[in-house]
Amino acid sequence: MTSSASALSQLKQLTTVVADTSDFERMREYQPQDATTNPSLILKAAQQANYQALVNQVKLAHPGMKPVDLVDYILVAFGLEILKTVPGRVSTEVDARLSFDTQATIHKAKHLIALYESHGIDRKRVLIKLAGTWEGIQAAKALEAEGIHCNMTLLFSLVQAAACGAVNAKLISPFVGRITDWYKAKLGSSWNDADNGGANDPGVTSVKRIFHYYKHFGIATEIMGASFRNTSQILELAGCDLLTISPELLGDLQNSALLVEKKLNASNAANALASEHISQLKLDESNFRLQLNNDAMATEKLAEGIRNFCIDTEKLETLLSK
């Protein structure tokens, strides 16, 4: 079925739409509420000709600064420009190399917030992105207590989501597409889009499970589906608190007249959890680590995500050293 309104405008009636990009010039046409960045997206933008002036401006303002320190100023420079475009919040990521160091993560997060505040930005407009490791989650607990809100990223499992909710993290970003990638690779030639796509997409079902868990147990943490591979995954999560979407897929939704229906409802939470025999999880450190370890997909994708963000951070440092 089709509608006279675009799929994007319909989706905005059901879900807060967020732009998943550091290309602030490109996001304007889609009028998102918030925007998210990560080391890979910042690296991609910093290499574009139209952002060389911004990068050079930051370098000139901090002569002699080591690239490892200059990265923070680059992240915030892009964040400041994004905040001129979106009415809501920007997510800025802590160095992934600190993913297993709680105190260093806290220190870096406070530094990033201080940089934003030095430019007159209220900390409520900034989400500090932290990896969904045990150490990252404990850092979020401390930061949230000081009014520094966190976006928990590289999130692939219910136990990560539950632990983030338990420390009152402001928001989580479960990675839909990367979950699907893992199962697609595992199944190989046995993968079938008809059976494994749509409502049965493993990335989609993972977010639905988290959504129902949060709503049933009264967890206030916001859920923002992320890392989409196609518009079907997005539309199957209509009704989620937020969805962060790449400019390419925002464009596809803008040009589509498909009828968008609400797929996630808090009223279904109890029945959905009961059908999957899910009860409230035990979330002390040893139980968290064991449950995460026993989920091969989440363990592998979390490790891979941290590795890749570390690599792209180092590439950004190399770029800044030239």
Side-chain angles (χ1 to χ4, degrees), residues 12 16-19 30-35 86-89 125 242:
K12 287 180 177 180
T16 297
V17 170
V18 179
Y30 303 114
Q31 300 183 316
Q33 174 65 23
D34 297 347
V86 301
R89 306 168 295 189
R125 295 196 69 199
L242 307 96

Side-chain angles (χ1 to χ4, degrees), residues 156-300:
F156 303 97
S157 65
L158 180 59
V159 69
Q160 287 174 289
C164 292
V167 301
N168 299 313
K170 184 67 174 177
L171 181 147
I172 61 167
S173 296
F175 277 25
V176 178
R178 296 196 197 187
I179 292 173
T180 303
D181 291 346
W182 189 89
Y183 283 101
K184 203 167 187 176
K186 188 174 180 64
L187 287 174
S189 59
S190 298
W191 176 274
N192 183 299
D193 283 333
D195 296 331
N196 304 113
N200 296 322
D201 183 297
V204 168
T205 58
S206 177
V207 176
K208 286 181 179 177
R209 191 175 300 119
I210 291 167
F211 180 88
H212 292 136
Y213 186 93
Y214 271 25
K215 303 312 176 186
H216 179 65
F217 291 112
I219 297 169
T221 298
E222 301 168 29
I223 306 165
M224 180 171 71
S227 167
F228 293 105
R229 298 293 179 256
N230 53 61
T231 56
S232 171
Q233 292 176 331
I234 296 167
L235 298 180
E236 286 294 340
L237 293 174
C240 192
D241 300 333
L242 307 96
L243 298 172
T244 184
I245 306 168
S246 70
E248 293 77 15
L249 292 177
L250 285 170
D252 290 344
L253 291 168
Q254 182 90 285
N255 296 325
S256 169
L258 279 174
L259 186 65
V260 179
E261 300 176 6
K262 187 174 184 178
K263 296 295 182 78
L264 271 63
N265 290 284
S267 58
N268 297 337
N271 288 337
L273 292 182
S275 68
E276 293 194 54
H277 307 289
I278 295 173
S279 55
Q280 199 153 14
L281 302 180
K282 291 180 67 176
L283 295 170
D284 58 88
E285 182 176 357
S286 61
N287 273 295
F288 173 88
R289 293 193 185 281
L290 181 62
Q291 290 174 71
L292 184 59
N293 178 78
N294 288 345
D295 185 333
M297 177 276 296
T299 299
E300 291 173 25

Side-chain angles (χ1 to χ4, degrees), residues 37-166:
T37 67
N38 63 44
S40 303
L41 293 174
I42 293 287
L43 174 64
K44 183 178 178 181
Q47 292 173 312
Q48 293 177 215
N50 51 324
Y51 293 126
Q52 289 310 300
L54 177 62
V55 172
N56 290 333
Q57 183 181 354
V58 174
K59 292 174 73 174
L60 287 170
H62 304 281
M65 181 175 282
K66 294 178 181 178
V68 66
D69 298 317
L70 199 57
V71 165
D72 293 341
Y73 291 84
I74 291 290
L75 297 179
V76 172
F78 274 93
L80 291 170
E81 293 300 322
I82 287 168
L83 287 173
K84 295 175 185 176
T85 301
V86 301
R89 306 168 295 189
V90 66
S91 290
T92 297
E93 192 143 354
V94 162
D95 190 332
R97 292 170 295 192
L98 306 179
S99 297
F100 302 100
D101 188 329
T102 297
Q103 291 307 313
T105 295
I106 293 170
H107 179 76
K108 179 68 78 175
K110 288 182 176 180
H111 177 56
L112 290 169
I113 286 293
L115 291 179
Y116 275 109
E117 290 182 333
S118 73
H119 289 275
I121 301 298
D122 190 315
R123 63 178 57 186
K124 291 179 181 177
R125 295 196 69 199
V126 181
L127 294 174
I128 298 296
K129 290 181 79 173
L130 309 176
T133 58
W134 178 259
E135 293 80 5
I137 294 167
Q138 299 318 299
K141 181 178 182 179
L143 292 166
E144 290 286 356
E146 295 189 35
I148 297 174
H149 294 314
C150 301
N151 171 353
M152 306 308 294
T153 188
L154 294 174
L155 199 136
F156 303 97
S157 65
L158 180 59
V159 69
Q160 287 174 289
C164 292

